[in-house]
């Protein structure tokens, strides 16, 4: 357990708006004026603190959000992007050239899996998928072409916990970058403290928390972020995954309540996981002592934010999973929808949706049952009451008595 409190870091970042506004002003400009042509030329050669050129490069509102995200992850710097996927693709393309290799956990978000499996090979970048819990498999997959070890701190959808400190040792010994997607565990895990080199997020999820936009970020060293934004060679600058400044401003406001939301998501998820387990359901939740990541999670997490708001329950087969989800929607437990981190409960069956990009055979080897239901627990005030409704649904589909 670590004693780092990211919410304190975020809270201490005061930016005044124009006329002393308590929210920073939104910069609604794609381009910026210069008082002299010389200054403009200089900016094409190197960054100048507080000087903006063009909003695909930097926008002051996006910079505010990026600075606060750097505090969240305790990184030297950060950039914001138009989606979690663009944060991932820009980072990989910044580091890897044709012929390079990535070693990736096989239990990752289906979109990332598809990018790695179907798209990167078109550019001559090959990805080897491994069981990330098997450190020996990671070690033996490394070749002189490997550049990155990639994992999710808490994985989608099985909630495996990656051993970031040991993966970091392997990465450092072999001069590789350890890149961690921390979307499932913002504030509760700080991967850079554990030895990761680059952290990415889909801000679309818990960090924004209102399911009203798609966005992402990359947190790392000043040097790497400057590389990503380099006018002549930066993947984020040249591929152009820009976040709109209005969205950046609204995400920033939501970020300030992240600590309260994560505590409540975690409290509700732990309550539900325990109750489901008592009923004899097959539950995956890193806060349950029988989960294979429980001890590691306790070691890695920051104190005070819980085990996160995601859990999965195995309904056995697709038909039962489907009926269970429809019943939960009818009972107003939440929405049958992909995505996560919303204030209301969201559920979907990963095998048929967010993980459907992963071939069925591979789903089975990684333990992803066809009847798995992934639940992103909402901020319900009375979880005991919600549980009664969930129990009724389980009962009606024959999953409990
Ligand atoms: N990483 C994880 C763990 C995700 O669950 C997702 C989306 O579901 C992404 C990355 C991609 O993020 P976005 O949808 O913001 O591009």
């Amino acid at each position: 357990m670590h004693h780092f409190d990211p919410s304190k870091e975020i809270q201490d970042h005061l930016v005044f708006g124009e006329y002393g506004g308590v929210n920073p002003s939104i910069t609604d400009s794609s381009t910026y004026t210069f008082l002299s042509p010389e200054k403009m030329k200089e900016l094409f050669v190197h960054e100048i603190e507080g000087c903006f050129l063009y909003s695909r490069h930097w926008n002051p509102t996006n910079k505010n959000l990026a600075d606060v995200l750097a505090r969240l992850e305790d990184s030297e710097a950060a950039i914001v992007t138009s989606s979690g996927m663009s944060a991932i693709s820009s980072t990989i393309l910044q580091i890897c050239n044709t012929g390079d290799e990535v070693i990736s956990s096989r239990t990752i978000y289906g979109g990332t899996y598809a990018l790695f499996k179907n798209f990167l090979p078109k550019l001559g970048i090959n990805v080897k998928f491994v069981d990330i819990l098997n450190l020996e498999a990671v070690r033996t997959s490394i070749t002189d072409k490997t550049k990155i070890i990639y994992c999710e701190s808490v994985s989608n959808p099985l909630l495996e916990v990656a051993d970031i400190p040991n993966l970091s040792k392997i990465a450092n010994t072999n001069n590789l970058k350890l890149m961690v997607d921390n979307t499932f565990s913002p504030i509760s895990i700080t991967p850079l403290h554990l030895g990761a080199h680059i952290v990415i997020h889909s801000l679309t999820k818990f960090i924004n928390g209102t399911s009203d936009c798609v966005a992402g970020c990359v947190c790392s060293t000043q040097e790497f972020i400057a590389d990503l934004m380099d006018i002549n060679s930066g993947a984020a600058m040249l591929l152009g995954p820009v976040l709109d400044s209005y969205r950046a401003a609204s995400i920033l406001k939501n970020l300030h309540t992240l600590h309260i939301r994560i505590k409540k998501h975690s409290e509700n998820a732990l309550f539900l996981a325990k109750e489901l387990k008592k009923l004899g359901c097959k539950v995956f939740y890193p806060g349950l002592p029988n989960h294979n990541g429980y001890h590691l999670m306790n070691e890695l997490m920051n104190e005070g934010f819980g085990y996160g708001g995601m859990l999965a329950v195995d309904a056995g087969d697709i038909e039962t999973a489907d009926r269970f989800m429809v019943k939960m929607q009818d009972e107003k437990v939440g929405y049958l929808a992909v995505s996560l981190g919303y204030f209301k409960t969201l559920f979907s069956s990963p095998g048929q949706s967010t993980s459907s990009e992963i071939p069925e055979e591979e789903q089975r080897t990684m333990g992803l049952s066809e009847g798995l239901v992934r639940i992103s627990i909402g901020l319900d005030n009375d979880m005991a009451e919600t549980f009664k409704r969930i129990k009724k649904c389980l009962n009606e589909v024959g999953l409990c008595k």
Side-chain angles (χ1 to χ4, degrees):
M1 197 84 83
H2 293 251
H3 297 291
F4 178 59
D5 181 357
S7 70
K8 176 84 178 65
E9 304 300 314
I10 294 171
Q11 186 190 313
D12 284 351
H13 186 78
L14 284 191
V15 178
F16 298 97
E18 221 179 341
Y19 311 111
V22 294
N23 282 306
S25 305
I26 300 173
T27 300
D28 187 23
S29 283
S30 58
T31 191
Y32 302 83
T33 44
F34 285 79
L35 294 179
S36 74
E38 287 72 30
K39 203 72 181 169
M40 187 187 275
K41 281 177 210 146
E42 194 187 332
L43 195 58
F44 272 89
V45 179
H46 61 83
E47 307 237 344
I48 307 169
E49 175 84 31
C51 194
F52 294 88
L53 171 72
Y54 183 62
S55 283
R56 173 156 47 78
H57 185 233
W58 274 113
N59 169 296
T61 311
N62 289 14
K63 180 83 171 80
N64 278 335
L65 176 60
D67 287 348
V68 181
L69 288 162
R71 283 176 167 252
L72 168 72
E73 289 298 353
D74 206 12
S75 61
E76 283 177 19
I79 54 160
V80 291
T81 56
S82 56
S83 66
M85 286 311 298
S86 61
I88 298 169
S89 54
S90 301
T91 302
I92 302 273
L93 294 179
Q94 190 63 39
I95 298 172
C96 294
N97 294 315
T98 301
D100 289 341
E101 289 175 356
V102 175
I103 295 172
S104 170
S105 164
R106 59 187 190 176
T107 51
I108 51 172
Y109 164 59
T112 315
Y113 191 93
L115 171 76
F116 287 0
K117 179 132 185 169
N118 307 331
F119 200 95
L120 292 184
K122 292 203 291 185
L123 309 173
I125 300 166
N126 284 312
V127 182
K128 289 180 183 163
F129 294 96
V130 297
D131 173 359
I132 205 74
L133 305 181
N134 181 348
L135 296 174
E136 201 39 43
V138 175
R139 247 182 237 113
T140 53
S141 301
I142 297 171
T143 69
D144 56 1
K145 293 179 182 151
T146 312
K147 290 284 172 341
I148 296 172
I149 298 176
Y150 183 92
C151 66
E152 295 176 2
S153 26
V154 177
S155 79
N156 185 0
L158 290 167
L159 311 169
E160 277 176 5
V161 180
D163 187 349
I164 299 172
N166 277 313
L167 290 169
S168 167
K169 280 186 201 148
I170 299 173
N172 289 336
T173 311
N174 295 279
N175 201 20
L176 312 176
K177 298 276 181 235
L178 176 60
M179 177 176 172
V180 177
D181 179 339
N182 201 25
T183 301
F184 272 37
S185 43
I187 227 165
S188 46
I189 292 184
T190 308
L192 295 177
H193 285 183
L194 307 171
H197 304 105
I198 302 162
V199 173
I200 73 94
H201 279 281
S202 165
L203 303 179
T204 317
K205 314 290 158 41
F206 289 101
I207 290 185
N208 185 50
T210 43
S211 288
D212 53 2
C213 72
V214 174
C217 74
V218 185
C219 304
S220 188
T221 57
Q222 197 86 50
E223 188 186 0
F224 185 66
I225 297 303
D227 283 353
L228 278 171
M229 275 306 193
D230 189 283
I231 290 175
N232 296 304
S233 57
M237 174 64 183
L238 300 177
L239 299 174
V242 190
L243 182 62
D244 181 75
S245 58
Y246 276 89
R247 274 305 177 195
S250 72
I251 296 168
L252 179 56
K253 280 176 273 200
N254 289 356
L255 179 53
H256 283 280
T257 58
L258 180 66
H259 57 299
I260 305 169
R261 291 186 279 114
I262 291 290
K263 280 184 197 178
K264 190 62 181 164
H265 283 299
S266 294
E267 181 192 314
N268 285 353
L270 182 61
F271 176 86
L272 183 59
K274 283 183 179 165
E275 292 300 324
L276 289 172
K277 181 138 195 310
K278 273 191 231 157
L279 287 182
C281 298
K282 192 171 174 194
V283 201
F284 297 83
Y285 185 65
L288 291 181
N290 71 324
H291 187 274
N292 64 0
Y294 175 72
H295 294 291
L296 191 55
M297 184 80 185
N298 277 302
E299 208 180 291
L300 305 188
M301 67 200 228
N302 294 322
E303 196 179 0
F305 303 100
Y307 298 91
M310 299 300 297
L311 69 76
V313 53
D314 190 353
D317 56 73
I318 296 173
E319 291 72 29
T320 313
D322 285 350
R323 283 193 298 127
F324 175 48
M325 292 189 293
V326 169
K327 290 246 177 259
M328 284 205 289
Q329 186 158 253
D330 289 346
E331 284 296 323
K332 301 186 172 49
V333 171
Y335 296 103
L336 200 181
V338 296
S339 203
L340 50 122
Y342 189 36
F343 48 78
K344 289 194 184 253
T345 295
L346 302 179
F347 34 84
S348 57
S349 171
Q352 303 165 68
S353 59
T354 49
S355 298
S356 57
E357 290 88 345
I358 304 172
E360 249 173 60
E361 204 187 302
E362 284 181 52
Q363 291 189 28
R364 296 299 94 84
T365 42
M366 62 178 69
L368 202 164
S369 140
E370 61 169 28
L372 198 76
V373 175
R374 186 188 78 177
I375 311 182
S376 166
I377 312 299
L379 298 173
D380 309 26
N381 187 41
D382 185 351
M383 205 55 201
E385 199 276 328
T386 304
F387 174 64
K388 277 189 201 151
R389 292 193 236 168
I390 295 175
K391 194 172 164 193
K392 182 168 175 250
C393 302
L394 287 167
N395 194 295
E396 285 174 8
V397 299
L399 281 171
C400 78
K401 290 198 197 85

